[in-house]
Amino acid sequence: MTEAAELPPAPEQAPEVFGDRFADAVRYAELLAEAGVQRGLIGPREVPRLWERHLLNCAVLSEAVPEGVSVCDVGSGAGLPGIPLALVRNDLKITLLEPLLRRTNFLTEVVELLGLDHVTVVRGRAEEVMGKLPPVHVVTARAVAPLDRLAAWGIPLLRPYGEMLALKGDTAEEELKSASSALTKLGAVETSILHVGEGVVDPPSTVVRVEVGESPGGVRFAAKRAKAARTGRTRRRR
């Protein structure tokens, strides 16, 4: 069993960011530092920087998410950014999508323990659940894959005129440039780089925003969605 480093106290910005959910944010940090490390969901070296690098870094993504929308956190892992986002935004309907059983077990435990009634945990890969999950307004992701691959998984889960928000680091501009052609084929109509969390995290979190038009995923995925919808109607009639 891996022994985790000691979790530092929450920084002074945390109570303001998490508001009346601050106690739940502390409990989540403790779970990451204990069970998260023991189950191999995060590395023990991440524990001293859990607040700044992980919880706050993810919570400030809320600045870029519209009010009252549905969100799918692709490759949610230990719940980043989905859980911090859920703690600061109870107006959102959030799905944590993760293929690995040990991670979905952890996510389910966290959601139940913290009473996150607006959060659902789904086990599966993005390419497997298209047509099985309702399309969402926003797809989020962090440290899942290079932008072109991430977009191929995430964009088809969007409803028309939705957007993908990917937390990225210093490579954001380079990734966006190299993925330009792939994004266009996937139905992207506008891309931008945002910086959120000014005054909360240093440096601010970098977010790649990819907005889609009326055909998320492009022509190929429109056909797959139509087929999935027909299959769903057939099953309901039975």
Side-chain angles (χ1 to χ4, degrees):
M1 183 179 295
T2 305
E3 185 177 344
E6 185 176 351
L7 177 69
E12 60 182 15
Q13 305 96 316
E16 183 178 350
V17 171
F18 289 100
D20 58 5
R21 283 283 197 170
F22 173 61
D24 290 325
V26 171
R27 186 66 188 118
Y28 176 52
E30 292 170 346
L31 289 166
L32 286 173
E34 297 161 6
V37 172
Q38 291 166 5
R39 300 186 195 182
L41 304 183
I42 67 164
R45 292 182 181 179
E46 295 303 310
V47 173
R49 50 187 185 176
L50 266 178
W51 283 104
E52 288 85 354
R53 185 179 173 88
H54 298 287
L55 273 76
L56 290 172
N57 181 275
C58 290
V60 296
L61 180 62
S62 65
E63 295 177 18
V65 180
E67 285 189 27
V69 299
S70 55
V71 177
C72 183
D73 188 29
V74 172
S76 194
L80 301 164
I83 296 292
L85 185 61
L87 288 170
V88 298
R89 295 286 300 276
N90 61 11
D91 61 300
L92 304 175
K93 183 179 180 182
I94 299 177
T95 298
L96 306 179
L97 181 62
E98 169 56 47
L100 295 184
L101 180 60
R102 62 188 170 90
R103 293 177 181 169
T104 54
N105 285 342
F106 176 79
L107 293 173
T108 300
E109 292 167 17
V110 171
V111 166
E112 292 176 354
L113 182 66
L114 302 185
L116 298 174
D117 298 333
H118 57 306
V119 178
T120 303
V121 178
V122 174
R123 184 185 176 198
R125 299 183 184 279
E127 58 268 36
E128 297 169 348
V129 301
M130 191 187 68
K132 300 176 183 177
L133 294 179
V136 296
H137 297 87
V138 177
V139 162
T140 60
R142 178 179 187 255
V144 173
L147 188 60
D148 54 349
R149 270 196 287 151
L150 174 61
W153 299 333
I155 287 180
L157 300 178
L158 290 170
R159 56 185 290 168
Y161 307 104
E163 60 186 318
M164 183 177 75
L165 299 173
L167 278 161
K168 291 288 183 178
D170 297 337
T171 63
E173 193 169 337
E174 182 183 331
E175 284 194 52
L176 186 53
K177 187 175 181 180
S178 63
S180 175
S181 176
L183 292 174
T184 300
K185 290 177 182 176
L186 288 164
V189 295
E190 190 169 338
T191 61
S192 54
I193 295 177
L194 313 175
H195 298 285
V196 296
E198 187 77 40
V200 177
V201 288
D202 184 22
S205 300
T206 301
V207 181
V208 175
R209 169 183 270 159
V210 179
E211 300 172 71
V212 301
E214 61 183 15
S215 299
V219 176
R220 183 162 63 94
F221 288 99
K224 288 182 72 172
R225 261 195 301 273
K227 181 180 179 182
R230 288 195 300 272
T231 302
R233 285 195 296 269
T234 302
R235 285 174 180 165
R236 284 194 292 273
R237 286 195 208 104
R238 292 174 183 170

